[in-house]
Amino acid sequence: MKKIIALVLASLVVLTFAAPAMADELPGGKEVTDEFKLAFIPMSTAGQVTSICQLAADDIENTYDNCTIEFFDAGFDPNTQITLINECITQGYDCIVLECADSTAVGPVIKEAEEEGVVVITFNLNCDAVHTMFVKCDSYSGGRVSAEAMMDILEGKGNILLLDVPAAQAVSTTFCAAFEDYVYDNCPDAQILEYINLPGNAQEDAYNAMRD
């Protein structure tokens, strides 16, 4: 999954800014030789995908010497993410690649960014506001594959606890739903004791749920 997200980031940047170069013009009427500033704002740079995405960003910057990609840490805080997006608008970034910390809270500032001509591309977790593009790997397939692997280890039996993303984000994430479907369809001796929507996406939220 880490590799998929990295490839998505690289592909999005190339398709959004480089592909139109065949016509010698890029989005917003900019010329091919113009400088482009792109902001990558995940829920947190401490997330598992960031180091892989940084490699993709390095490849893009090495290929396009007029392209700059900056990483920003929202620290799993929607308010911090909103502030960062506002700063990117003010600083004239051309594109924001965003993993929404809260799909509803960040909606208004994403709308503002698009109105200011900033291309906003969300990945992994979508938002309520209309924006340029949302890209997500097939989490349903991933959930079923994960369930199959775990049930092989557990020999098709056992008690299971599912920890999912916050409820507001679950509408665009089907990983746990697929996990449940696989278990119910294939493992009559396994029991899902509880399904919990975590209050946040930080590892600490999962630790606290397990302590409880």
Side-chain angles (χ1 to χ4, degrees):
M1 183 172 293
K2 296 178 183 179
K3 183 177 180 180
I4 291 174
I5 294 175
L7 290 173
V8 166
L9 174 60
S11 298
L12 284 177
V13 174
V14 172
L15 289 173
T16 305
F17 294 100
M22 296 178 182
D24 296 326
E25 186 175 335
L26 292 171
K30 290 196 173 186
E31 298 298 325
V32 177
T33 55
D34 284 350
E35 297 293 322
F36 283 89
K37 295 171 59 178
L38 294 94
F40 177 61
I41 312 177
M43 288 187 291
S44 171
T45 53
Q48 296 179 348
V49 304
T50 304
S51 60
I52 305 300
C53 290
Q54 181 66 65
L55 294 176
D58 291 343
D59 285 343
I60 293 167
E61 289 184 316
N62 290 334
T63 302
Y64 302 95
D65 56 10
N66 60 327
C67 180
T68 301
I69 302 176
E70 296 290 341
F71 282 59
F72 298 90
D73 185 8
F76 297 105
D77 183 0
N79 292 324
T80 300
Q81 196 168 61
I82 290 170
T83 298
L84 291 171
I85 296 170
N86 275 320
E87 290 176 354
C88 288
I89 296 173
T90 302
Q91 294 172 18
Y93 278 81
D94 299 286
C95 177
I96 297 173
V97 179
L98 178 72
E99 182 185 33
C100 298
D102 187 304
S103 57
T104 300
V106 299
V109 71
I110 289 177
K111 181 175 182 292
E112 180 183 346
E114 288 279 356
E115 290 174 347
E116 292 293 328
V118 181
V119 174
V120 179
I121 301 170
T122 56
F123 74 96
N124 196 18
L125 296 171
N126 203 358
C127 75
D128 296 344
V130 176
H131 56 290
T132 300
M133 188 181 296
F134 167 54
V135 176
K136 189 179 190 308
C137 61
D138 185 358
S139 61
Y140 190 86
S141 295
R144 289 190 68 90
V145 169
S146 297
E148 182 179 7
M150 179 172 284
M151 288 298 99
D152 284 345
I153 294 172
L154 297 177
E155 298 181 345
K157 57 188 177 182
N159 296 322
I160 302 167
L161 172 67
L162 290 181
L163 304 181
D164 203 356
V165 298
Q169 297 169 345
V171 65
S172 63
T173 302
T174 57
F175 192 94
C176 278
F179 193 105
E180 287 183 290
D181 288 347
Y182 182 89
V183 172
Y184 290 143
D185 292 343
N186 299 281
C187 306
D189 294 328
Q191 183 179 6
I192 296 177
L193 298 180
E194 192 168 359
Y195 168 94
I196 299 174
N197 286 108
L198 298 174
N201 292 286
Q203 290 185 348
E204 182 180 357
D205 296 310
Y207 293 152
N208 290 336
M210 292 306 296
R211 292 190 189 101
D212 292 343

